[in-house]
Amino acid sequence: MLTVVEKLLSRPQVAEFRKVLDAASWVDGKATAGRQSGAVKQNRQLPEGSKESRELGDKILDALAGNPHFISAALPLKIFPPLFNRYEGGEHFGTHVDNAIRAVPGTATRIRTDLSCTLFLCEPEEYDGGVLTIEDAYGAQEVKLQAGDLVLYPSTSLHHVTPVTRGARVCSFFWMQSMVRDDGERTLLFDLDQSIQALSAEKGANDPAVVRLSGIYHNLVRRWAAC
Ligand code: NI
């Protein structure tokens, strides 16, 4: 399931991020790519573990932890420290699948990449091209979001970023391991949770049907989650 989380960051937060990012020094994006993806990757990144990367990354993790829509869709177990990339002057990223396992630098933690995320830190009007194209069961989905919005998609998907032919595309990207590994199960849980929230808003949280459905939701999580 491909999900968009709108306004994960506010406009003032994005402006603050951009001030830091526009003044930062960037390195070749091949630094975090595997063999196949490295061959088709052409962009720049903030160095992993740099002061800017850590500080901004922590702010993203805080925003994610406080966002019920994200939690419901991702059911995150472990999140990779967010990275930042920049494409301009025709840079692009050819078709690839993200590496299955990511070691968190400087730690013994390894993350199985169940979900990939891109958080847009520039407005669509600031650049031409730079469309994130994700192949899912329903064909190719083209994603180009407002600044502050995030897209979440299964890491099993082939995807690419088209060349940026004007301006600069600045984003954060990262991966996560979900408590529920299977995308189909995670999608059912998300749909059920969203339906319970809607019903609860209409009938009240203590309505007997809402209570029973909430029980079913939690029992399914118990059945499918690993943590
Ligand atoms: Ni990728």
Side-chain angles (χ1 to χ4, degrees):
M1 177 186 61
L2 186 152
T3 316
V4 172
V5 177
E6 289 180 353
K7 299 184 174 60
L8 177 74
L9 297 182
S10 65
R11 289 291 151 89
Q13 280 177 308
V14 171
E16 188 193 321
F17 272 56
R18 284 297 296 274
K19 221 165 106 184
V20 175
L21 292 172
D22 291 346
S25 49
W26 299 74
V27 298
D28 190 335
K30 288 186 183 14
T32 57
R35 224 174 97 198
Q36 186 274 329
S37 58
V40 293
K41 185 174 187 181
Q42 205 185 72
N43 67 3
R44 285 178 298 152
Q45 287 177 196
L46 274 196
E48 254 185 310
S50 67
K51 183 171 169 283
E52 294 94 336
S53 192
R54 276 186 286 113
E55 286 179 4
L56 298 180
D58 285 347
K59 287 182 182 165
I60 294 172
L61 296 178
D62 284 348
L64 293 172
N67 189 292
H69 184 186
F70 166 77
I71 301 287
S72 175
L75 297 170
L77 177 63
K78 293 187 267 185
I79 304 179
F80 194 88
L83 298 169
F84 296 85
N85 63 17
R86 183 178 178 101
Y87 294 77
E88 60 192 324
E91 287 174 329
H92 64 281
F93 198 162
T95 303
H96 66 281
V97 166
D98 294 340
N99 288 356
I101 306 291
R102 288 265 167 193
V104 179
T107 74
T109 303
R110 287 193 295 180
I111 293 178
R112 185 189 65 233
T113 58
D114 295 323
L115 289 162
S116 299
C117 284
T118 298
L119 168 63
F120 287 75
L121 297 168
C122 51
E123 297 295 352
E125 303 78 41
E126 288 180 54
Y127 60 102
D128 289 335
V131 179
L132 171 62
T133 307
I134 302 162
E135 289 174 27
D136 77 1
Y138 303 103
Q141 311 292 318
E142 297 195 337
V143 182
K144 187 167 180 173
L145 303 175
Q146 305 288 319
D149 292 355
L150 170 131
V151 64
L152 189 64
Y153 59 97
S155 302
T156 49
S157 322
L158 279 169
H159 56 281
H160 67 273
V161 177
T162 63
V164 172
T165 54
R166 177 187 64 85
R169 176 191 189 271
V170 181
C171 292
S172 173
F173 66 104
F174 48 98
W175 308 272
M176 67 196 65
Q177 182 168 334
S178 175
M179 289 186 281
V180 176
R181 178 182 193 161
D182 182 79
D183 183 57
E185 292 172 352
R186 214 185 309 112
T187 302
L188 283 171
L189 289 171
F190 178 65
D191 285 345
L192 179 57
D193 187 41
Q194 297 300 300
S195 303
I196 292 169
Q197 299 307 324
L199 196 62
S200 174
E202 195 184 308
K203 296 192 173 278
N206 293 319
D207 176 82
V210 172
V211 173
R212 274 201 305 278
L213 285 169
S214 300
I216 292 169
Y217 174 81
H218 287 287
N219 290 334
L220 285 173
V221 172
R222 247 176 228 110
R223 184 172 284 245
W224 291 335
C227 50

